[in-house]
Amino acid sequence: MTENRSLQSIRGTRDLLPGETEAWDVVEGIIREVMGIYQYREIRTPLFEDTQLFTRGIGEHTDIVNKEMYTFEDQGGRSLTLRPEGTASVVRSWLQHRLGAQGTVNKLYYLGPMFRQEAPQKGRARQFHQFGAEVIGTDAPEADAEIILLVLAVLDALGLETWALHIGSLGCRECRPGYRDILVEFLAGVESLLCEECKERMKTNPLRILDCKNEGCRLATAKAPSHLDHLDEGCQIHFNAVQALLSDRGIPFTVDPRLVRGLDYYERTTFEVLSPDLGAQDAICGGGRYDGLAQMIGGSDRVPGVGFAAGIERIMLALEAAGVELDFEPICDVALVHIGEAARQRLFALCDILRRAGVACTIELFDRSVKAQMREANRREALLALIVGENELKDGMVTVKNLVDGEEEQVSFEDVVSVVLEKLEKMDDEAVDEEPQDWSEEDDGSEPEPGEAA
Ligand SMILES: [Zn+2]
Ligand SMILES: [Zn+2]
């Protein structure tokens, strides 16, 4: 016998319910608007890719690739992976479709779910959502600065005023190996103090030791040499230029000598935007330059690029913590209220006609009392109620009740659509501060005579 247990969403995933979806829509709408203003165009890549895209792009010895990827074999024995981040896919797509062929700089953005098998905790889900942007085709420091200004513009448009920007530079393929040797030499002297994982990283990815959250490791590496002190001339000039552009714009930032980021593809600029409102999970955005990534995933040449990714769940938490109200209202213009089966049928057709005319309508699908239907209209904050009972049916009329001021009038079925459109337009123009009122208490429920309700 199969067990008939009730099925639940997978741990670390979450349903977005009505009430939340509208808030997300507002946030996504603002993101898209700002992206448009900055002239970034949307790209949508598949949710799963060849596993190699990520092992080669993100790096074999990163936490993401080692511990967190959802990798599976499909029916044809191919190894596929649910995308754990967006940049590798965007660069793969850029190469595949030769988006750089016109010799122009490409500015792209994306928005959607990513997948990592992390320990679920507040603000960290296994299916989580990110938006991000990439400038591909230029190594100009203006691109790095613009990417940072872009994410700050999004946060500003969302109403998140409190943030901290940390920036750093990881050097490039020319100067990083030299720094790496110096770092390894330092780390060898404190190796006994490092956690087991970092001892392993000594062999595979020593830079990431600077990023370890373990308290012992942080203490042991407090005096570690910083890559900022070992940049070559080109990287130093580039980093100075990015800082100057941000300063010119009056953007406060902290130069963070330990900013490593958990992905291997970054070179030169790295940055994080932190939200003090979030406590321990405080990074809401991270990014940097990745001039070598295209080649790591099979491109024939190095392609300069810079981008960021920001977590929407984290931003939602930050907005909540900051007390920012997202302005959305589920719209219901008109409630159709009937008394009796015949009226209900008549209103059912009228309801669809109004909806086709762009009017948001709700109609009673049970036979509840007028009072209950009016209460529903009030709950939905409808502006008008169209009421039809036996009398109205007989006369071919509809009672149109303004739910804001309580006034009502009789309108013929022929005219009702145009009258409703006119009234709604007028109410919209007046942009009334007044809320619709609850008129359901006016009706005592006995012998409903809607035409006389007022
Ligand atoms: Zn360099
Ligand atoms: Zn460690």
Side-chain angles (χ1 to χ4, degrees):
M1 220 176 88
T2 53
E3 186 196 0
N4 191 21
R5 68 191 167 96
S6 66
L7 296 169
Q8 308 272 316
S9 60
I10 304 297
R11 193 168 122 100
T13 69
R14 211 162 72 77
D15 300 313
L16 285 179
L17 302 176
E20 291 174 294
T21 49
E22 289 91 342
W24 278 59
D25 270 347
V26 171
V27 168
E28 291 174 5
I30 291 170
I31 291 166
R32 290 178 192 286
E33 195 183 328
V34 176
M35 291 294 175
I37 292 169
Y38 277 73
Q39 297 284 283
Y40 285 65
R41 297 182 68 191
E42 188 181 11
I43 183 166
R44 300 191 192 194
T45 61
L47 298 193
F48 56 90
E49 300 265 5
D50 189 322
T51 298
Q52 281 200 31
L53 175 64
F54 305 117
T55 51
R56 282 156 59 182
I58 297 169
E60 301 222 44
H61 302 297
T62 56
D63 283 356
I64 295 177
V65 169
N66 278 344
K67 302 182 201 161
E68 296 168 0
M69 293 208 304
Y70 280 98
T71 297
F72 58 98
E73 234 177 55
D74 75 358
Q75 302 291 340
R78 284 168 292 256
S79 179
L80 306 179
T81 294
L82 299 182
R83 62 180 190 189
E85 58 99 54
T87 301
S89 301
V90 172
V91 173
R92 193 264 312 136
S93 179
W94 186 91
L95 286 168
Q96 183 176 337
H97 302 288
R98 302 171 175 279
L99 295 183
Q102 305 91 329
T104 53
V105 171
N106 291 96
K107 297 186 176 184
L108 303 164
Y109 82 90
Y110 59 85
L111 194 161
M114 309 290 163
F115 306 86
R116 290 184 203 174
Q117 192 160 354
E118 293 185 274
Q121 50 183 298
K122 205 165 194 240
R124 187 168 286 191
R126 291 180 169 180
Q127 174 176 328
F128 59 104
H129 298 76
Q130 286 188 332
F131 69 95
E134 319 286 353
V135 181
I136 305 178
T138 173
D139 61 4
E142 283 81 0
D144 306 55
E146 181 179 288
I147 276 289
I148 293 170
L149 293 172
L150 167 58
V151 72
L152 296 180
V154 171
L155 297 182
D156 192 42
L158 288 169
L160 263 187
E161 287 161 7
T162 321
W163 45 259
L165 170 63
H166 286 206
I167 65 172
S169 174
L170 290 176
C172 65
R173 61 184 172 151
E174 308 288 335
C175 57
R176 195 165 359 173
Y179 165 65
R180 190 184 147 120
D181 291 345
I182 292 166
L183 179 66
V184 169
E185 205 180 300
F186 169 86
L187 290 171
V190 296
E191 188 167 358
S192 60
L193 303 170
L194 301 177
C195 71
E196 286 311 307
E197 232 174 309
C198 284
K199 282 182 182 141
E200 205 46 46
R201 286 178 183 138
M202 281 290 284
K203 295 171 217 138
T204 58
N205 199 351
L207 251 73
R208 291 237 50 209
I209 295 173
L210 299 179
D211 208 24
C212 184
K213 299 285 177 276
N214 185 298
E215 192 56 34
C217 296
R218 294 202 79 84
L219 282 172
T221 59
K223 292 205 165 71
S226 164
H227 35 256
L228 292 181
D229 298 324
H230 297 88
L231 300 177
D232 59 15
E233 199 188 353
C235 287
Q236 190 63 59
I237 290 171
H238 194 273
F239 189 44
N240 291 348
V242 174
Q243 294 180 67
L245 290 163
L246 294 173
S247 296
D248 275 353
R249 188 61 189 86
I251 304 293
F253 58 84
T254 305
V255 173
D256 184 343
R258 297 180 71 101
L259 197 55
V260 174
R261 313 269 318 135
L263 305 100
D264 273 1
Y265 54 59
Y266 286 124
E267 294 184 13
R268 292 194 164 172
T269 311
T270 53
F271 66 93
E272 278 182 355
V273 180
L274 315 176
S275 168
D277 296 320
L278 285 186
Q281 296 298 320
D282 56 0
I284 49 180
C285 165
R289 176 161 284 286
Y290 47 80
D291 299 348
L293 174 58
Q295 226 168 21
M296 289 159 78
I297 61 173
S300 51
D301 301 306
R302 282 168 65 83
V303 177
V306 60
F308 77 82
I312 299 186
E313 279 85 354
R314 300 267 182 98
I315 285 178
M316 295 313 253
L317 285 175
L319 287 169
E320 196 185 308
V324 175
E325 297 262 343
L326 293 169
D327 195 20
F328 69 86
E329 280 171 29
I331 295 167
C332 177
D333 300 315
V334 173
L336 294 103
V337 175
H338 71 270
I339 304 114
E341 185 63 29
R344 175 167 143 180
Q345 245 178 46
R346 190 78 199 259
L347 280 183
F348 186 79
L350 175 61
C351 181
D352 193 55
I353 292 167
L354 283 167
R355 285 169 172 171
R356 293 292 192 106
V359 178
C361 296
T362 176
I363 185 165
E364 169 78 1
L365 295 178
F366 303 103
D367 274 316
R368 289 184 298 177
S369 67
V370 171
K371 192 171 181 169
Q373 293 182 54
M374 291 298 281
R375 212 177 290 127
E376 176 76 18
N378 186 250
R379 201 177 61 77
R380 291 175 189 253
E381 298 183 20
L383 299 171
L384 300 174
L386 305 187
I387 306 163
V388 175
E390 264 177 45
N391 290 343
E392 282 91 348
L393 263 191
K394 200 170 68 212
D395 303 338
M397 303 296 274
V398 179
T399 298
V400 178
K401 183 178 183 103
N402 181 324
L403 297 176
V404 177
D405 61 19
E407 274 179 34
E408 57 182 62
E409 61 180 291
Q410 302 272 315
V411 178
S412 73
F413 264 98
E414 291 75 56
D415 295 336
V416 72
V417 174
S418 55
V419 169
V420 164
L421 289 173
E422 213 169 281
K423 280 183 184 291
L424 288 175
E425 196 175 333
K426 196 161 156 240
M427 292 170 96
D428 193 41
D429 283 349
E430 285 164 5
V432 276
D433 293 329
E434 299 162 77
E435 301 259 304
Q437 296 175 39
D438 187 356
W439 303 92
S440 60
E441 293 308 317
E442 287 203 329
D443 187 78
D444 62 8
S446 62
E447 303 228 23
E449 288 291 338
E452 292 160 22

